[in-house]
Amino acid sequence: MKLKRRTFIQLAAATLGAFGLRAEAKPFFLERRRPWYRGEVTTLPSTCDQCFWKCSILVRVEGGRVRKLEGHPENPRTRGRLCPRGQGGLGQLYDPDRLKYPLLRTGERGEGKFKKASWEEALDFIAERMLALKERYGPETIAFFTHGGGESWFSEYLAAAWGSPNVAKPAVSVCVAPRETASQWTFGRPVGGHAPVDWTNARYIVLIGHHIGEDTHNTQLQDFAQALRRGAKLVVVDPRLSTAAAKAHRWLAIKPGTDLALLLAWIHVLIKEDLYDADYVARYTTGFEALRAHVEPFTPEWAAEITEIPADTIRQVARELGAHRPRAVLPPSRHTVWYGDDTQRMRALFILNALLGNYGREGGFYLAKAPYLEKYPHPPFPLEPAAGGCGGASAGKEEVPEGFRPRADKGKFFAKSTAIQELIEPMLTGEPYPIKGLFAYGTNLFAAIPNVPRTKKALEALELFVAVDVLPQEYTLWADVVLPDATYLERYDDLIAIAYKDPLIQLRQPAVEPLWEARPAWWIARELGIRLGLSRFFPWKDVEEYLEARLSAIGQSLEALKEKGFIQQRGRPWLSSWERWRQNPFKTPSGKIELYSETFAEAGLDPLPRYTPHPEPPPGHYRLLYGRSPVHSFSKTQNNWILLEMDPENEVWIHPDEAERLGVETGQYVWLENPDGVREGPVRVWVTRRIRRDCVYLVHGFGHRAPGLRLARGRGASDTALQTRYDLDPISGGAGLRNNFVRLVPGAPRPQHPPIGRLARERRL
Amino acid sequence: MARYAMAIDLEACVGCAACAVACVTENQVPPGVTRLWIREIEEEGPSRPQVEFRPEQCYHCENPPCVPVCPTGATYQRQDGLVLLNPTKCIACGACVVACPYDSRFLHPDGHVDKCTFCAHRLEAGRDPACVETCPTGARVFGDLEDEEGRLRAALASARRVDVRKPHLGTEPRLFYLNAPRATGLGGEE
Amino acid sequence: MTSFYGIHPSAEVWHGLTLLHFFLVGLAGGSAFLAALSRLRGEGASRNLLLFAALFVALDLAVLWLESPARFRFTHVWLFATFRPASAISWGAWGLLLTLLLSLALAFRKGPERILVPLLFASSLVVLAYPGMLLSENPGRPLWDGFVTGLMPLTGLALAVAFWLVFLRGSLPRLAPPVFLTAGVAALLYPWGLLHGDAGERAAWAGLWQDAGLFYLAAALLLLLAGFFRRRPELAGGLALLGSTLLRSLIVVFGQ
């Protein structure tokens, strides 16, 4: 009642000026529109691209418009359900703020002055500049940054045909790189885009900084709920009482940055008290004795000092883990770039899982298999596609073909994957060689790469910057050429291969024609390729021909896939099934799960994970933690009105004791300021006991500044803007982001937004 | 005759709002209003804060206070329990909006009152309401209260506790909340 | 937080023009009631009052139409195609219509007064009473308890009496003080009742008290004060007019 009551004063004022008629009312004979479901509805299957989870969807089209999106009921990963972002996809498709035409920059970089151009003009301009740059610096001077469903046409196709190894994705070094590298060097297998955790059969689940529920990755969330329904015990380790922690049987409010100590103590107890799976360890692992000796000093008492979790609790959870093995599991979170020693932390997590004997067993990890698929028979690319993908091979010796140069970030870290943030430096310094051109596809640079001031400087130094996106995100203001991408409901993409228990091939197909002059990614890549003299790599005339060729190579047809939406193949999810075929799933140098990594030792890295303390917040500052909103994907969905309405701004969470000390209350607006003088906000304060005193929390993706995002701009604060520092993980190349600190500066004004009603008419469904 | 009702398992609900978004697109709800929303209630628990994610909407009460107050009969209760609204008869006087103790009704910008219909049009086709169908955690169950073998009755029977909002008003809501995290029932001002 | 702007989505529907309606409907019902009463008691000289009653009803109906988001859909015809006894607004619609027709008929001496006057008396009572009914029939709005059913007609009558005193130089000194005093006392009894009610009612009053307690007290005091200014009817009327309007508006606004 309190919320919706206006003060009497306001009301009196409203009464006086009340005669403004609302213009929304229509004549009665026009008013009742026929609901879409009473019209002629056609349905076609496709694949969602609101995040990377790639859910199989049914698209309902009526009157030439997409009306509804639903989960594909037959797809084993979707099961007829969709997360909020998937449900809200048409908010992006029909967003009136979308990029509508190719644009050529007329003003300064960042100024946002453009002139409308034809596709012909824009593509010719890009090709001309790219060829000139290649002439002067070589093909590697063009970097490709990509994100989203259409990225493969650039990162895996055009870039490889062009010959630049500098292809990077924020999804790697600002996200999963540590867990992929750690998994590769422990199990000899990637984790992959969809963590292969057998949630439903698990009886004891320990989450460390894993925000399931706030991330709404469909299959995983369904399985998680199912596990709890079946009575699985849940332990959540997090400085914040996340949604998952709210569901947990135990919440361990760990001191941020000390997770590795906790993991080592758990390993210690498992070994010390003989709770580990000795048979499994003997059969599948190597280096156990070294591990035993290594963790000897890491007692729960030692860890309690560091983590601020009582030693008894640590011991108890370890015992419960042991009691529930092999159906006890510690699922890896996706975003693992925290403190710069992240590969080691993820190694500890995987070692712990291995000790529980759950890898390749029900209730633990299944062995995900990628589907069998053939490449399109184009002439061989001069370069193999750079290892930018989430599941890409993450290390090993890299061969650079004759006449090409190695990646510009080579030598900075151990893994073979590319680190997007390390490609910024060469743009500024020209070392090891200059990067003068950047092609960014769907990659919101200012929300995806730490140290935004440096990124902006680097963009200013570029000779060519091309941005391809659906929305006029802030980074597009820096581009020389802005190209409007078609949304996932308007385009084909390459076949989508999903590693799963039984792997899947899925199709993304257009439900409606691209709006305005937007064009699909495959078309842009092909047109550009032809202009760059790479026609021989694009022998197909359109994407349907390309897809048909790939599908017929495996005995399938595009026609059938367009009807069904997905193809399922047989997998081999359990160790037992591999053994039946006398095959070894562990592609490590030793062919076993490597508790001790010889390769790491040879490379001068810790062969066993070791805890190192991380910097403490300076006085008056809090560690900046960040996470996700269930209705938003990164910084891509805040301008989608359907999703925005459900979560229109982020809030800074702060503990009541600290709030009292600072004199701030829930609902008040503050600035956030970091020691480098970056100020963000205004952002709303949320005082809550759900967070420790030494940190504050923000949902990632807000704080848009681009004027073209009329709904999203000026709402909340950007965590990325405050992350001016990062700690490079010397193994994975990941950019550890959680050693950034902020203080709260009270007195920020409450932001004024246009009432949504004013923007409503052009956004009616 | 069927007696439609819904149950939401608060233990499973993570407040992701997939239901609310599905509702917006299914029913073409315009910006600025909503038929369905999530209330996040944080209360002190025995050892740590307790959080309740509670989706709220029209409860299709057995004794709906909104129906008798309607001067034109635009709002009515169907035999199967659905409380519906005929926009062509609605004069938007707001009596039902005020009468609803759960604030489940609102003024649609087209000049009539609007609210959740349990997706009556989908029920005709034998489908679940859009919110139920999409719920990733499966927290929502829809069904026929009369059907003793049905999934709704099964969900109610297996729940640790069943609550409705503001039971003292005697409205007999037909949306049940299962397994409220707080031992004494629903949180907040209930 | 995924809670739709973090606020309650169902914003209050009654504001601005609706408050003007609650003012006009009291005035209209009260005026018609006074006119009918004086005719019943054989005191003629109420033609002005009848005309004003008709005017207020007409104005009120106009306001109701104007404030309705459905105004251009013309669905209001449904009001007069049905009668739904459980709905206060249905009573109100018919009451207002009849009051308008009856007071016009009486003012212009059309039709048998013997029948029309009692009918007007009845219909004016409906107009006076239905706003209170409308408010108190909402189980989820604790501020609008049963007491409001009495308070609304009382303040409505007070409005009409006050209007009569101020603008028509009426000669109703005998009726005015008791009406004002009763309304004032009722205004003071109302919170007393709420404070002795259940938790919801106490909370509802606390909300009003916190945000506009002074305004409420002022409204009640104005009414009481008006009851004592027997010598200066215009001042008394002015005070009562202000007090009643304020009181009714506060109750409508804070009850939602």
Side-chain angles (χ1 to χ4, degrees):
Chain A
M1 294 298 281
K2 182 91 183 132
L3 274 173
K4 61 199 203 73
R5 195 184 301 119
R6 297 176 183 180
T7 66
F8 187 71
I9 309 290
Q10 275 174 311
L11 205 120
T15 316
L16 289 174
F19 269 80
L21 298 185
R22 262 170 299 164
E24 276 290 323
K26 293 179 189 61
F28 68 100
F29 45 87
L30 288 180
E31 164 270 314
R32 283 228 74 198
R33 286 189 270 184
R34 185 180 65 176
W36 67 276
Y37 44 76
R38 300 280 180 230
E40 199 174 307
V41 182
T42 54
T43 299
L44 80 170
S46 190
T47 302
C48 186
D49 192 28
Q50 286 285 78
C51 80
F52 51 82
W53 200 261
K54 303 180 177 75
C55 291
S56 200
I57 53 173
L58 294 180
V59 187
R60 312 267 189 213
V61 181
E62 184 267 344
R65 280 174 75 95
V66 176
R67 298 299 191 175
K68 184 82 198 305
L69 302 164
E70 279 160 10
H72 199 310
E74 286 148 39
N75 187 294
R77 289 175 66 255
T78 312
R79 307 157 198 161
R81 301 179 187 274
L82 272 190
C83 83
R85 299 161 301 162
Q87 281 287 353
L90 48 162
Q92 183 201 40
L93 169 60
Y94 296 116
D95 189 337
D97 293 348
R98 270 177 65 176
L99 288 167
K100 301 180 177 76
Y101 319 96
L103 299 171
L104 291 177
R105 184 165 59 83
T106 56
E108 293 296 304
R109 283 217 159 95
E111 205 183 10
K113 285 194 182 148
F114 293 96
K115 65 171 192 215
K116 205 171 127 181
S118 69
W119 274 98
E120 205 71 12
E121 253 177 291
L123 291 168
D124 287 346
F125 178 91
I126 298 168
E128 207 175 290
R129 291 277 191 102
M130 278 176 80
L131 290 168
L133 285 170
K134 183 180 180 180
E135 196 67 27
R136 270 168 61 204
Y137 305 101
E140 64 278 359
T141 200
I142 309 283
F144 292 80
F145 290 177
T146 66
H147 185 264
E151 68 178 353
S152 66
W153 300 106
F154 301 104
S155 55
E156 266 99 76
Y157 211 106
L158 184 65
W162 167 259
S164 172
N166 292 314
V167 178
K169 306 178 181 189
V172 179
S173 66
V174 202
C175 196
V176 297
R179 81 168 193 188
E180 294 304 324
T181 312
S183 179
Q184 198 64 44
W185 293 102
T186 308
F187 299 120
R189 302 180 67 81
V191 180
H194 315 98
V197 174
D198 187 27
W199 295 88
T200 38
N201 292 312
R203 304 293 301 159
Y204 197 84
I205 301 168
V206 178
L207 299 176
I208 302 186
H210 190 303
H211 297 160
I212 193 164
E214 284 156 351
D215 70 52
T216 46
H217 308 145
N218 195 355
T219 324
Q220 182 171 283
L221 185 55
Q222 291 187 35
D223 291 350
F224 169 74
Q226 185 67 6
L228 293 186
R229 203 170 284 130
R230 289 188 182 180
K233 288 273 169 289
L234 177 66
V235 177
V236 173
V237 182
D238 206 310
R240 180 177 67 91
L241 189 105
S242 59
T243 297
K247 306 287 175 194
H249 300 89
R250 239 186 238 277
W251 172 42
L252 309 185
I254 192 169
K255 180 179 172 187
T258 65
D259 313 79
L260 189 42
L262 177 66
L263 288 164
L264 289 171
W266 277 340
I267 296 174
H268 170 97
V269 179
L270 281 187
I271 294 178
K272 196 85 184 168
E273 301 191 5
D274 242 352
L275 301 168
Y276 66 98
D277 190 332
D279 289 343
Y280 187 94
V281 166
R283 196 159 162 199
Y284 298 112
T285 73
T286 156
F288 178 73
E289 283 313 315
L291 176 70
R292 181 202 290 276
H294 175 71
V295 297
E296 183 61 34
F298 305 137
T299 60
E301 284 69 22
W302 166 81
E305 287 273 301
I306 297 168
T307 60
E308 298 179 9
I309 300 169
D312 281 349
T313 310
I314 298 178
R315 207 167 257 121
Q316 216 167 339
V317 172
R319 286 173 186 159
E320 285 167 14
L321 274 168
H324 288 88
R325 72 175 165 77
R327 289 174 188 268
V329 65
L330 298 96
S333 62
R334 286 185 65 82
H335 179 92
T336 41
V337 287
W338 298 355
Y339 301 102
D341 61 350
D342 305 301
T343 305
Q344 293 292 8
R345 185 187 67 250
M346 294 317 287
R347 278 259 303 149
L349 184 95
F350 291 133
I351 290 169
L352 187 51
N353 276 302
L355 293 180
L356 295 167
N358 68 19
Y359 196 80
R361 295 246 190 95
E362 285 191 20
F365 289 78
Y366 61 83
L367 304 174
K369 188 181 168 220
Y372 162 63
L373 201 52
E374 292 287 340
K375 280 187 181 157
Y376 184 89
H378 53 69
F381 291 145
L383 276 187
E384 272 304 296
C390 293
S394 58
K397 290 210 174 61
E398 210 175 337
E399 303 272 317
V400 181
E402 187 75 28
F404 290 94
R405 302 176 79 168
R407 279 173 9 227
D409 61 359
K410 202 159 164 69
K412 288 192 174 175
F413 53 90
F414 168 82
K416 193 178 154 194
S417 55
T418 330
I420 196 166
Q421 78 280 356
E422 300 308 322
L423 293 184
I424 303 293
E425 209 65 34
M427 297 178 188
L428 284 166
T429 61
E431 294 300 328
Y433 52 77
I435 290 182
K436 289 291 181 189
L438 174 62
F439 196 100
Y441 175 81
T443 310
N444 191 353
L445 305 178
F446 303 156
I449 305 172
N451 199 349
V452 175
R454 181 184 70 163
T455 309
K456 287 186 175 168
K457 248 188 262 162
L459 294 184
E460 274 160 22
L462 290 175
E463 289 181 28
L464 174 67
F465 176 24
V466 182
V468 190
D469 210 312
V470 172
L471 288 170
Q473 296 275 13
E474 196 184 353
Y475 79 100
T476 63
L477 303 181
W478 264 256
D480 301 310
V481 189
V482 183
L483 302 177
D485 189 14
T487 67
Y488 70 100
L489 295 165
E490 303 164 314
R491 66 171 196 243
Y492 278 110
D493 277 333
D494 203 345
L495 293 174
I496 295 160
I498 296 170
Y500 190 52
K501 284 177 186 163
D502 291 315
L504 293 148
I505 297 169
Q506 287 181 188
L507 178 71
R508 178 170 296 128
Q509 60 174 324
V512 287
E513 288 291 305
L515 291 172
W516 301 292
E517 284 179 29
R519 290 286 179 275
W522 67 265
W523 184 89
I524 301 172
R526 185 174 179 277
E527 289 292 318
L528 200 53
I530 291 166
R531 283 171 172 75
L532 292 170
L534 306 170
S535 313
R536 65 184 186 285
F537 298 112
F538 295 90
W540 38 278
K541 72 172 193 317
D542 63 21
V543 71
E544 295 196 355
E545 187 185 314
Y546 170 92
L547 295 172
E548 185 64 59
R550 285 194 80 185
L551 285 165
S552 61
I554 58 163
Q556 301 279 353
S557 80
L558 180 61
E559 205 51 44
L561 192 55
K562 282 169 82 169
E563 281 290 305
K564 177 86 166 42
F566 66 94
I567 300 164
Q568 189 160 28
Q569 299 175 353
R570 284 290 297 277
R572 236 181 293 159
W574 312 115
L575 279 176
S576 53
S577 36
W578 283 75
E579 277 154 10
R580 210 172 306 130
W581 292 89
R582 294 175 192 286
Q583 281 181 322
N584 180 16
F586 305 115
K587 312 285 185 219
T588 52
S590 62
K592 292 195 161 196
I593 298 173
E594 298 195 342
L595 306 179
Y596 178 95
S597 172
E598 204 65 59
T599 321
F600 276 21
E602 281 165 20
L605 303 165
D606 278 337
L608 286 161
R610 189 182 303 279
Y611 167 75
T612 43
H614 299 298
E616 297 285 326
H621 287 67
Y622 304 92
R623 191 180 298 276
L624 175 64
L625 303 181
Y626 49 86
R628 305 196 53 178
S629 163
V631 296
H632 291 298
S633 282
F634 317 117
S635 60
K636 291 192 164 190
T637 52
Q638 287 76 21
N639 208 62
N640 176 333
W641 73 263
I642 310 175
L643 300 177
L644 180 91
E645 288 206 311
M646 302 303 163
D647 191 356
E649 62 186 324
N650 59 358
E651 288 129 342
V652 54
W653 294 29
I654 187 163
H655 189 276
D657 296 350
E658 295 299 312
E660 201 190 315
R661 218 170 49 78
L662 297 171
V664 294
E665 285 174 23
T666 292
Q668 219 174 308
Y669 283 80
V670 296
W671 304 103
L672 295 178
E673 202 177 88
N674 77 2
D676 292 330
V678 173
R679 187 174 260 215
E680 263 294 301
V683 61
R684 198 167 171 266
V685 173
W686 192 35
V687 179
T688 175
R689 290 197 183 277
R690 290 171 63 185
I691 190 159
R692 282 172 58 101
R693 291 187 59 168
D694 50 4
C695 45
V696 293
Y697 171 79
L698 267 185
V699 162
H700 170 75
F702 284 93
H704 286 269
R705 296 282 171 264
L709 302 177
R710 287 178 297 154
L711 280 186
R713 69 170 173 214
R715 291 182 188 265
S718 160
D719 56 328
T720 315
L722 293 160
Q723 289 157 350
T724 42
R725 300 168 188 192
Y726 64 87
D727 295 275
L728 180 70
D729 177 358
I731 309 180
S732 72
L737 299 178
R738 296 198 181 162
N739 285 330
N740 280 290
F741 308 105
V742 294
R743 63 191 192 94
L744 273 67
V745 183
R750 172 182 293 269
Q752 297 295 317
H753 302 295
I756 203 134
R758 206 176 297 163
L759 302 160
R761 189 172 302 210
E762 53 182 3
R763 285 172 175 79
R764 285 287 290 262
L765 292 172
Chain B
M1 194 71 208
R3 202 78 191 154
Y4 290 123
M6 199 185 280
I8 300 179
D9 183 354
L10 297 179
E11 214 158 63
C13 179
V14 293
C16 75
C19 49
V21 177
C23 175
V24 168
T25 53
E26 178 72 33
N27 297 298
Q28 295 168 299
V29 181
V33 288
T34 188
R35 293 178 174 193
L36 163 50
W37 62 97
I38 314 289
R39 194 189 290 267
E40 191 172 324
I41 300 158
E42 182 187 317
E43 288 179 345
E44 278 308 299
S47 60
R48 62 169 203 238
Q50 257 172 353
V51 189
E52 180 180 322
F53 299 98
R54 189 208 289 159
E56 297 183 355
Q57 62 195 75
C58 170
Y59 296 111
H60 296 268
C61 303
E62 191 71 36
N63 301 317
C66 53
V67 169
V69 301
C70 177
T72 62
T75 278
Y76 59 100
Q77 187 177 29
R78 247 171 35 175
Q79 286 269 300
D80 58 9
L82 264 60
V83 177
L84 297 178
L85 182 129
N86 177 359
T88 49
K89 277 185 141 187
C90 176
I91 63 163
C93 65
C96 58
V97 179
V98 174
C100 175
Y102 310 105
D103 294 326
S104 300
R105 291 169 167 258
F106 58 90
L107 272 181
H108 191 286
D110 280 352
H112 57 82
V113 170
D114 197 24
K115 67 171 204 66
C116 159
T117 61
F118 268 173
C119 283
H121 62 281
R122 289 172 65 106
L123 303 184
E124 284 168 28
R127 301 182 67 188
D128 275 339
C131 56
V132 175
E133 186 184 84
T134 203
C135 178
T137 61
R140 286 171 176 267
V141 182
F142 185 82
D144 181 359
L145 262 187
E146 309 272 281
D147 180 4
E148 286 177 30
E149 308 292 306
R151 50 196 175 152
L152 180 70
R153 290 287 287 266
L156 290 171
S158 65
R160 182 167 42 74
R161 64 171 296 145
V162 178
D163 287 286
V164 295
R165 284 191 62 203
K166 304 186 181 179
H168 60 278
L169 297 178
T171 51
E172 295 188 43
R174 284 296 171 255
L175 189 151
F176 304 96
Y177 291 109
L178 312 182
N179 306 324
R182 199 168 69 154
T184 50
L186 298 174
E189 295 161 13
E190 300 304 315
Chain C
M1 259 204 280
T2 49
S3 45
F4 201 76
Y5 300 113
I7 58 159
H8 208 284
S10 140
E12 65 269 48
V13 287
W14 291 346
H15 41 76
L17 284 180
T18 323
L19 292 186
L20 187 57
H21 155 66
F22 274 97
F23 168 76
L24 282 171
V25 76
L27 208 50
S31 304
F33 176 79
L34 290 180
L37 194 67
S38 71
R39 287 277 165 113
L40 279 178
R41 286 162 43 164
E43 305 165 9
S46 61
R47 185 157 186 265
N48 277 350
L49 205 49
L50 283 168
L51 283 174
F52 268 102
L55 176 69
F56 290 141
V57 173
L59 272 177
D60 186 35
L61 288 173
V63 164
L64 280 173
W65 177 77
L66 205 60
E67 65 101 44
S68 168
R71 61 186 166 274
F72 295 124
R73 296 165 58 238
F74 305 105
T75 48
H76 288 84
V77 294
W78 289 104
L79 280 174
F80 304 105
T82 49
F83 174 62
R84 308 185 73 85
S87 160
I89 289 182
S90 193
W91 281 95
W94 285 106
L96 283 167
L97 184 68
L98 283 177
T99 304
L100 177 65
L101 296 175
L102 290 167
S103 40
L104 283 177
L106 284 169
F108 294 106
R109 300 181 188 286
K110 306 272 188 235
E113 202 163 309
R114 216 161 356 118
I115 302 168
L116 296 187
V117 170
L119 274 180
L120 180 66
F121 187 73
S123 77
S124 70
L125 277 178
V126 168
V127 173
L128 271 178
Y130 97 84
M133 301 285 205
L134 174 63
L135 298 187
S136 65
E137 70 191 350
N138 301 299
R141 316 286 153 183
L143 191 69
W144 300 337
D145 61 355
F147 205 90
V148 172
T149 0
L151 198 54
M152 292 305 278
L154 258 176
T155 49
L157 189 59
L159 275 178
V161 173
F163 181 83
W164 176 261
L165 290 179
V166 176
F167 295 101
L168 299 179
R169 312 281 166 141
S171 51
L172 287 167
R174 266 190 303 147
L175 186 60
V179 168
F180 296 156
L181 281 175
T182 324
V185 170
L188 289 177
L189 282 176
Y190 169 61
W192 184 81
L194 285 170
L195 286 170
H196 289 79
D198 60 28
E201 290 178 353
R202 288 198 299 274
W205 171 254
L208 193 156
W209 181 249
Q210 196 189 332
D211 289 356
L214 281 180
F215 284 101
Y216 188 91
L217 269 189
L221 286 178
L222 284 173
L223 276 168
L224 281 178
L225 218 56
F228 291 104
F229 279 103
R230 286 159 196 270
R231 300 270 164 75
R232 302 181 58 187
E234 281 155 55
L235 180 61
L239 294 176
L241 208 57
L242 199 60
S244 297
T245 311
L246 198 56
L247 197 68
R248 290 166 75 89
S249 304
L250 284 170
I251 290 171
V252 171
V253 170
F254 282 87
Q256 280 190 71

